[in-house]
Amino acid sequence: MWCVIGEPMGKRKKGDGRPHLDDRKSLSRRRLLTGAASAGAALSTAALTHSQARAAADPAITEIQDWNRYLGDGVDERPYGLPSEFEKHVVRRDVSWLTADPKSSVNFTPLHELEGIITPNGLCFERHHGGIAEIDPAKHRLMINGLVDTPLVFTMEDIMRFPRHNRIYFLECAANSGMEWRGAQLNGCQFTHGMVHNVMYTGVRLSDVLKEAGLQSTAKWLLPEGADAAAMTRSIPLKKGLDDCLIAFKMNGEALRPEQGYPLRLVVPGWEGNMWIKWLRRIEVGDEPWHQREETSKYTDLLANGKARRFTWTMDVKSVITNPSPQAPITHGRGQTVLTGLAWSGYGKIARVDVTIDGGRNWQRARLDGPSFSKSVHRFYHDFYWDGSPLFLQSRAIDDAGNVQPTKAELRTARGQNSIYHNNGIQTWHVREDGSAENVEIS
Amino acid sequence: MSRSPSALLLAGAIAALIDSGSYAQGVDIGEKVFRKCKACHAVGDGAKNRVGPHLNDIFGRKAGTVDGFKYSKAMTAAGENGLEWDAQSIGRFVAKPRDAIRGTKMAFAGMEKEEDRASLIAYLKTFSGRGAGRQPEKKKAAVAAEKPTANPAIATGAEGKKELAKNAEVPGHGTFHLGRVALDEEITAWDIDIRPDGAGLPDGRGTVSLGESIYTERCAACHGDFGDGRDRWPALAGGQGSLMKERPEKTIGSYWPYLSTVYDYIRRAMPFGDARSLTDDEVYALTAYVLYLNDIVTEEDFELSSENFTALHLPNEDAFIPDDRAQEGHYANRNEPCMNDCIPGKAKVTMRARVLDVTPDSETVEGTDTIE
């Protein structure tokens, strides 16, 4: 009897000599860590295969692989599918020294591992001020109060009966790239630019919900509030609320993730991520702003002259090359190379992205590919033949309102180095002769 | 160590808890009690040292011996003199830390209620010994029992009594007739925001000296004895005149524009991990104490109240300006960006990330470049 019905296939597979992920560690991390050495090895192998045929046949072809012989998991093994175990290294990561406590902290999206324009739900960066609120949707309420004719309370079921809309928007933390104001600091686009994600939201128009309560003529401002332990609040002009804000309950087709505000979050297209109140439970209508903690002590931009800008809501035009980058070195040696990255603007669509490989001496137009939506990220490519000489890579985005992404030097001249927020300066990666890459600043 | 009468009582209370079968309930209550400790101590899977050491496997451990945590001399000495953590010793310490071990750096004032201590100890015990770092057994069972089924809301709806759709009540308000009218007491429960003009301030009052005693108990563990901020927790005082310096210190006294924000934020979100636990009067007292820490009021008997609140102003109020990014040269000039021969000479590295070595998990890899 060689096959017993019901014997778990998984058991037989274990210890079958097939290397498991634990033995192998993460590929890309090893690449990152060993940097120069492994990239150098890859270079010589690549050179070999370029110039001549392989000496010995490839065992990946000549040997019958386990997955080609044995049956795999059945349909019930993974009721909610997860990525391949070989993608285990593709995760959000934090920078522990940035904040006092993980309950009020941030982690970063691995931009260098992603393609296209949509960020998978499990990889959208997290930023909480009082940890993740785990809310039973049956106990969640949304209240509208203040300068309205009829203050109202909605259940989740009520909210989902308003007309629904689907929109793709980027969400960027105002502090994205904030650690780079004084100069190159973190080695990887995940850490320098990973506080941005791009998601398709399904929700209802904020204007529909507000109008249901009846706005009074003196109404000018909104104060959305979260149900989390920070009871997060921000003042938002009513005009923006009526223009394009959504109250969302789905992201990329499924329910919001708890860390993204389940069961309800505000969507404030093109504006600071901090304003997209998660775990949304109340919206107050008023005639003046409230000057809450997150719009006075934080999320205000200190200038060199000691003044500070407040209510700097819009996220400026910005781009970053995600590959090659410090976490994604070139491992194939000279030859055909894909350079790719992301561009976005809180003012509208991206009209154009320019790319330089010589540190801004000469620029070429990158190729935009994939869907182009207002206030959504755009994917760009520059396909070129790398001759193996050092590169200084930069990208420069231009939006359809005519805003050109500034250099870091221009921003520092205008604002000094203590603004923390709204650093959209042009990023430089230095690719060395061994294919490894580093975050640098250049003259 | 000698057993004090209260320690014996506590041991009795725990034994009673376990015997009576209400142990699981004690664990549940203990989890709630532990919220007071959570800002500084972690337990469970992957718990790390924070302001205080992690508390996994605390039972049977010699005091002052968690790897990598920097204890006070007093705590290390207590361990060396034979103090081992068990229900009695934890209970005694938590009741009044600074009396139990003079010189401990744990800033917690103490847990008065014996039931709270007993529940807390029951909860901590679930993270010690076999099964340490896991959720209490009861919870695990509950999770295991949860098999994916159809949406539970729909399931109960089908079993419930059938209502005819045509009989459902439709409210009169709005366009879509959705939601219901919010009750005044519901609005009062949630609408706690305060504006700089005083809108939203509740009736009440509190003095600097009362604020100081609350601060010492509830706030100093993170914000420091003088509002100077421990570790990376925010400083509340000092830094005046530093905003144009290389490293500005942004505190309530040096940076925040409005006092209303202080009241609003303490009331909605502080103490960290135990929000909404202060009375309105206590928030007035704490706000008064923050003013005192910043030398904005100087008398210890100063009383802040709903009457005098709006008369007080913070020093940096006038330093805030509207968003004028669009006027910056790089945005305002609208020039077509240069495409060819834009900068003379070859690019030179002026600064490298590698020098700082602050990227997570990075290993120092010797580069070939030097900094120019």
Side-chain angles (χ1 to χ4, degrees):
Chain A
M1 199 167 73
W2 57 274
C3 177
V4 181
I5 291 170
E7 185 191 348
M9 287 299 298
K11 253 184 193 164
R12 202 175 62 199
K13 281 195 305 194
K14 290 216 171 121
D16 60 3
R18 176 180 157 192
H20 282 266
L21 190 71
D22 295 344
D23 314 325
R24 246 179 317 228
K25 305 279 181 199
S26 123
L27 247 178
S28 87
R29 240 189 86 200
R30 194 175 58 191
R31 257 193 340 231
L32 171 68
L33 297 188
T34 52
S38 71
L43 186 87
S44 55
T45 318
L48 201 72
T49 48
H50 271 299
S51 56
Q52 61 194 75
R54 245 189 119 87
D58 185 352
I61 297 169
T62 56
E63 290 176 10
I64 295 167
Q65 306 296 328
D66 286 351
W67 53 85
N68 185 215
R69 168 171 296 175
Y70 303 118
L71 300 178
D73 286 346
V75 287
D76 284 341
E77 295 291 326
R78 306 172 196 193
Y80 191 97
L82 292 171
S84 159
E85 62 174 315
F86 301 101
E87 298 295 317
K88 235 178 179 169
H89 57 286
V90 182
V91 288
R92 300 181 285 218
R93 301 177 68 200
D94 72 347
V95 178
S96 56
W97 53 264
L98 274 179
T99 48
D101 188 278
K103 306 273 179 200
S104 177
S105 191
V106 63
N107 60 19
F108 301 86
T109 296
L111 299 178
H112 59 293
E113 297 281 0
L114 303 178
E115 263 294 347
I117 66 164
I118 295 293
T119 316
N121 289 340
L123 295 176
C124 291
F125 79 93
E126 299 172 75
R127 203 300 184 229
H128 322 304
H129 295 72
I132 300 169
E134 301 274 5
I135 298 176
D136 175 354
K139 291 183 185 162
H140 191 70
R141 304 285 181 271
L142 175 66
M143 180 188 288
I144 309 288
N145 73 307
L147 299 177
V148 292
D149 298 333
T150 317
L152 294 176
V153 171
F154 301 97
T155 62
M156 284 301 296
E157 200 181 27
D158 295 333
I159 292 293
M160 292 167 82
R161 290 168 65 199
F162 283 94
R164 296 180 198 171
H165 302 269
N166 294 285
R167 295 284 185 279
I168 297 177
Y169 293 121
F170 77 82
L171 181 161
E172 184 184 16
C173 176
N176 199 19
S177 314
M179 291 82 79
E180 305 290 307
W181 269 106
R182 294 169 198 281
Q185 180 161 248
L186 291 166
N187 227 358
C189 67
Q190 179 165 15
F191 305 111
T192 57
H193 288 76
M195 285 197 275
V196 64
H197 58 65
N198 204 60
V199 159
M200 181 166 78
Y201 296 94
T202 306
V204 301
R205 280 195 181 120
L206 176 58
S207 59
D208 282 347
V209 177
L210 291 174
K211 283 172 187 164
E212 196 71 354
L215 292 164
Q216 296 184 357
S217 59
T218 48
K220 271 195 177 146
W221 288 83
L222 301 173
L223 186 77
E225 178 181 78
D228 58 321
M232 174 61 66
T233 41
R234 284 292 304 256
S235 303
I236 299 179
L238 177 63
K239 191 162 175 270
K240 175 69 174 176
L242 297 178
D243 177 23
D244 58 359
C245 291
L246 299 175
I247 297 173
F249 40 82
K250 302 277 187 191
M251 58 191 293
N252 293 331
E254 64 178 359
L256 293 171
R257 292 289 169 92
E259 65 269 31
Q260 303 299 340
Y262 180 85
L264 278 185
R265 98 171 300 168
L266 195 62
V267 171
V268 191
W271 287 20
E272 296 181 334
N274 181 247
M275 307 176 81
W276 299 44
I277 302 297
K278 301 191 279 191
W279 311 291
L280 180 70
R281 75 163 183 198
R282 189 172 72 96
I283 299 170
E284 185 170 344
V285 183
D287 55 0
E288 284 183 42
W290 283 262
H291 296 282
Q292 294 283 288
R293 190 230 192 197
E294 309 300 330
E295 53 203 15
T296 54
S297 76
K298 310 283 175 190
Y299 303 93
T300 48
D301 315 342
L302 180 59
L303 304 175
N305 63 6
K307 300 276 179 194
R309 288 180 180 142
R310 71 170 139 221
F311 297 148
T312 47
W313 298 308
T314 309
M315 297 310 297
D316 289 308
V317 62
K318 187 165 177 177
S319 68
V320 65
I321 293 169
T322 56
N323 309 76
S325 64
Q327 295 162 289
I330 303 176
T331 54
H332 55 59
R334 70 186 168 128
Q336 183 65 23
T337 302
V338 174
L339 179 157
T340 186
L342 295 169
W344 61 94
S345 168
Y347 290 96
K349 289 183 179 180
I350 292 298
R352 169 180 142 197
V353 177
D354 299 329
V355 168
T356 174
I357 62 172
D358 62 7
R361 275 62 190 163
N362 299 284
W363 296 82
Q364 295 174 69
R365 281 195 182 210
R367 173 171 61 91
L368 291 173
D369 187 83
S372 166
F373 300 111
S374 180
K375 300 164 192 171
S376 161
V377 304
H378 291 60
R379 171 65 60 178
F380 67 85
Y381 295 96
H382 175 62
D383 303 289
F384 71 109
Y385 186 95
W386 182 39
D387 62 7
S389 59
L391 305 171
F392 289 102
L393 305 178
Q394 296 178 336
S395 61
R396 173 176 70 195
I398 301 168
D399 67 24
D400 64 1
N403 298 301
V404 180
Q405 184 179 3
T407 64
K408 289 181 182 176
E410 285 171 328
L411 289 175
R412 288 179 189 134
T413 303
R415 303 177 196 174
Q417 299 187 17
N418 287 324
S419 273
I420 301 176
Y421 307 102
H422 295 287
N423 182 353
N424 62 323
I426 290 172
Q427 173 66 44
T428 311
W429 305 128
H430 178 202
V431 178
R432 295 196 184 82
E433 287 172 308
D434 62 9
S436 65
E438 188 186 6
N439 176 9
V440 298
E441 300 216 2
I442 55 171
S443 60
Chain B
M1 62 180 284
S2 69
R3 292 187 174 185
S4 68
S6 73
L8 285 172
L9 262 173
L10 182 68
I14 295 164
L17 258 177
I18 295 169
D19 290 345
S20 70
S22 60
Y23 179 71
Q25 201 188 334
V27 169
D28 270 3
I29 296 167
E31 188 176 2
K32 290 204 180 86
V33 174
F34 186 69
R35 288 178 190 166
K36 289 188 175 159
C37 322
K38 248 178 152 172
C40 303
H41 292 283
V43 287
D45 281 339
K48 286 180 187 154
N49 295 330
R50 289 157 72 178
V51 175
H54 76 76
L55 301 177
N56 286 345
D57 281 321
I58 186 171
F59 282 76
R61 188 165 73 208
K62 200 166 118 183
T65 56
V66 167
D67 273 355
F69 185 77
K70 205 162 170 264
Y71 288 93
S72 62
K73 280 181 188 151
M75 184 60 79
T76 312
E80 283 162 1
N81 292 333
L83 175 61
E84 194 172 277
W85 294 122
D86 56 20
Q88 283 76 30
S89 57
I90 295 173
R92 221 167 75 97
F93 181 59
V94 171
K96 263 204 173 286
R98 275 175 284 199
D99 285 359
I101 297 178
R102 295 204 172 270
T104 179
K105 65 181 198 180
M106 183 156 110
F108 183 62
M111 193 173 286
E112 278 178 24
K113 287 189 192 162
E114 190 174 318
E115 311 90 84
D116 284 355
R117 299 199 299 269
S119 305
L120 175 70
I121 289 163
Y123 175 66
L124 288 178
K125 192 137 203 187
T126 63
F127 298 97
S128 275
R130 274 167 55 85
R134 302 213 186 106
Q135 286 291 308
E137 290 299 317
K138 194 175 72 88
K139 283 220 162 156
K140 254 183 10 191
V143 172
E146 260 177 49
K147 283 233 160 186
T149 53
N151 187 330
I154 294 168
T156 39
E159 283 163 24
K161 58 177 179 183
K162 291 197 166 83
E163 299 278 359
L164 290 177
K166 69 173 181 181
N167 294 335
E169 220 171 292
V170 176
H173 63 259
T175 310
F176 302 100
H177 314 294
L178 292 169
R180 64 161 175 87
V181 176
L183 305 179
D184 285 344
E185 61 181 297
E186 293 172 330
I187 297 172
T188 308
W190 274 3
D191 185 354
I192 58 165
D193 45 73
I194 318 289
R195 286 197 323 206
D197 62 3
L201 273 174
D203 289 337
R205 58 200 61 250
T207 60
V208 168
S209 53
L210 177 63
E212 181 174 16
S213 64
I214 303 166
Y215 180 90
T216 305
E217 185 185 335
R218 311 290 309 270
C219 320
C222 297
H223 292 295
D225 291 338
F226 305 101
D228 44 341
R230 289 195 182 170
D231 302 326
R232 290 190 65 85
W233 297 101
L236 306 178
Q240 298 195 19
S242 73
L243 296 183
M244 289 165 69
K245 292 187 176 164
E246 196 186 333
R247 301 276 169 180
E249 292 169 54
K250 296 196 274 186
T251 71
I252 291 167
S254 72
Y255 192 67
W256 292 35
Y258 303 113
L259 188 62
S260 58
T261 315
V262 179
Y263 191 100
D264 179 287
Y265 187 70
I266 295 175
R267 185 156 77 145
R268 83 173 46 248
M270 289 290 115
F272 192 63
D274 198 15
R276 304 297 306 272
S277 63
L278 298 164
T279 66
D280 290 344
D281 283 345
E282 286 175 327
V283 179
Y284 274 110
L286 280 172
T287 308
Y289 185 62
V290 168
L291 288 171
Y292 180 80
L293 283 175
N294 280 289
D295 302 323
I296 294 164
V297 300
T298 50
E299 303 296 320
E300 284 186 27
D301 57 3
F302 171 79
E303 185 180 70
L304 185 67
S305 70
S306 38
E307 291 90 55
N308 65 3
F309 194 96
T310 52
L312 286 147
H313 291 268
L314 298 182
N316 201 44
E317 178 174 340
D318 295 331
F320 288 80
I321 59 169
D323 183 0
D324 58 355
R325 281 175 291 171
Q327 273 84 62
E328 290 174 348
H330 45 266
Y331 291 128
N333 68 28
R334 301 270 142 185
N335 290 341
E336 179 62 21
C338 170
M339 295 299 282
N340 293 302
D341 302 323
C342 304
I343 306 169
K346 285 198 169 177
K348 282 184 183 166
V349 174
T350 55
M351 190 169 190
R352 305 170 53 198
R354 184 159 291 168
V355 182
L356 286 162
D357 194 24
V358 288
T359 310
D361 287 354
S362 68
E363 282 176 9
T364 309
V365 182
E366 276 312 308
T368 50
D369 302 296
T370 51
I371 302 156
E372 295 171 86

